[in-house]
Amino acid sequence: MTSLGMYYFVRLLVTLVAIPCHEAGHALASWLMGDSTAKEHGRLSLNPFAHFDLFGTLCMVVAGIGWAKPVPTDPRRFRSPKLGMAITALAGPVSNLILAYLSMVLWKVMYYWAPVNNATIFGAYFLEYMVLMNVGLAVFNLIPIPPLDGSRVALVLLPRRLYFGVMRYERTILVVLLALVWFGFLDAPLGWMNNQMWQWMGFATSYIDRLAYSVYSVMVTV
């Protein structure tokens, strides 16, 4: 397999993990908040095919921005509709950040202690893209613009009528937003936010670096 082929193969594998995790996070939060609609539709699952959208997956693999089938929710089932929608929305990006953190932990463990062979090189490459794609998904979805997840959190402060009125235009807003991303108008702010999140991940896993340094120091002094 060529290096370009390997690049897209790894991106596909990561997509088939990251997107189901994001969507299942929405479904789990919705269910815990009192709305079982997503669970009834089989979306409380890490099976990629439960969330699969062909065009959205291809866009994710090729361009780094994509989508899955929307997770169905019924705000009327929530004890507090706006709060339920906000927590359900937030659960997707949070799931990606948790996955990114765990991937960075494994990545650092492999870097310091795994033997170097083809399998570990591929594993490290996979884990690196797990961090990159999951951080990217979380950051992008936290933008407070409909229909992204961040809008459900930001709009929780709006009056109910205005809140649901804005949601009627989310498809149009999404097309405009994707065009801005595609033509690079959001590269600078998204790049800055991704770098900030990457630095936080590095800080949150720095105990592994300190442990590796301590082990190395002991081995040198023995």
Side-chain angles (χ1 to χ4, degrees):
M1 185 180 291
T2 65
S3 58
L4 184 61
M6 178 63 72
Y7 170 76
Y8 284 112
F9 177 65
V10 170
R11 286 181 69 92
L12 175 61
L13 292 180
V14 172
T15 297
L16 294 177
V17 176
I19 287 184
C21 181
H22 181 100
E23 302 302 328
H26 287 317
L28 177 61
S30 178
W31 179 53
L32 293 176
M33 292 296 293
D35 175 22
S36 61
T37 305
K39 185 174 184 293
E40 292 164 3
H41 283 77
R43 303 300 298 278
L44 188 56
S45 169
L46 293 176
N47 179 0
F49 294 104
H51 314 282
F52 187 74
D53 179 282
L54 178 58
F55 188 60
T57 300
L58 289 174
C59 287
M60 192 71 200
V61 173
V62 175
I65 297 293
W67 56 89
K69 292 189 299 184
V71 172
T73 56
D74 185 350
R76 295 170 298 180
R77 291 187 172 188
F78 292 129
R79 289 177 285 276
S80 172
K82 286 202 296 186
L83 181 61
M85 290 291 288
I87 292 177
T88 297
L90 191 61
V94 168
S95 298
N96 287 125
L97 291 177
I98 292 172
L99 192 54
Y101 174 80
L102 295 176
S103 297
M104 182 169 278
V105 168
L106 292 175
W107 184 31
K108 287 190 173 185
V109 168
M110 289 188 67
Y111 175 80
Y112 288 116
W113 292 292
V116 178
N117 53 49
N118 289 336
T120 55
I121 291 173
F122 177 82
Y125 192 40
F126 171 78
L127 290 170
E128 179 184 7
Y129 271 95
M130 281 285 285
V131 180
L132 286 168
M133 189 173 287
N134 278 285
V135 166
L137 268 173
V139 166
F140 182 71
N141 276 283
L142 285 173
I143 297 174
I145 298 174
L148 301 180
D149 298 326
S151 68
R152 267 68 171 179
V153 179
L155 296 179
V156 73
L157 301 175
L158 293 178
R160 181 184 177 93
R161 176 187 242 171
L162 183 57
Y163 173 84
F164 289 106
V166 171
M167 288 299 150
R168 289 181 355 193
Y169 302 100
E170 61 181 12
R171 288 183 179 273
T172 302
I173 297 172
L174 177 61
V175 172
V176 174
L177 183 62
L178 290 176
L180 292 175
V181 172
W182 185 264
F183 289 107
F185 291 107
L186 297 181
D187 285 356
L190 287 176
W192 182 84
M193 289 189 288
N194 274 286
N195 287 335
Q196 293 301 308
M197 188 59 69
W198 182 273
Q199 291 178 21
W200 182 86
M201 289 283 175
F203 173 76
T205 56
S206 60
Y207 62 90
I208 300 175
D209 304 302
R210 293 193 295 270
L211 176 61
Y213 178 76
S214 299
V215 171
Y216 175 75
S217 300
V218 170
M219 292 176 65
V220 169
T221 56
V222 170

